[in-house]
Amino acid sequence: MLIPVEPKLRYYMGANPKLQRDNRDYNEVARRAAYHLNTLIANNESETQQYMFANIARDIGASTDDVRSALSDGGYNGITFTNISAEERKALARYRREKR
């Protein structure tokens, strides 16, 4: 599993406006899901982290199926990260929130 997480995008090159719109909407959800997950990982200092697709979907206002598809490196219900390295933490720096 690569960190930061990249969304699995869909590509549609046809002329059907409805399919173009569906593709664009799905890719927007995929990008939001990946950004949200990277933010969660970056702001959690634990070496092992587990996230449920349903929770991510709820947080970003999307369907669980779309989140599951966009973050396809996980299992059916969620995704787990173990032994997050210093290099991966550095790559997540742009997702870190300042503590208040």
Side-chain angles (χ1 to χ4, degrees), residues 35-44 49 51 56 59 97:
Y35 184 88
H36 183 63
L37 179 56
N38 285 322
T39 300
L40 293 171
I41 298 166
N43 291 286
N44 183 338
Q49 301 178 32
Y51 299 97
I56 295 168
D59 291 348
R97 293 188 184 130

Side-chain angles (χ1 to χ4, degrees), residues 15-32:
N16 184 317
K18 181 188 180 323
L19 294 178
Q20 289 174 346
R21 190 172 41 256
D22 290 347
N23 187 76
R24 184 181 59 246
D25 292 347
Y26 169 84
N27 285 341
E28 176 59 29
V29 167
R31 287 183 185 97
R32 285 192 349 249

Side-chain angles (χ1 to χ4, degrees), residues 40-76:
L40 293 171
I41 298 166
N43 291 286
N44 183 338
E45 296 299 322
S46 298
E47 258 189 56
T48 300
Q49 301 178 32
Q50 184 176 37
Y51 299 97
M52 305 306 286
F53 294 140
N55 293 341
I56 295 168
R58 182 198 63 229
D59 291 348
I60 67 169
S63 77
T64 302
D65 287 338
D66 281 350
V67 171
R68 181 182 297 119
S69 180
L71 305 175
S72 61
D73 288 339
Y76 185 77

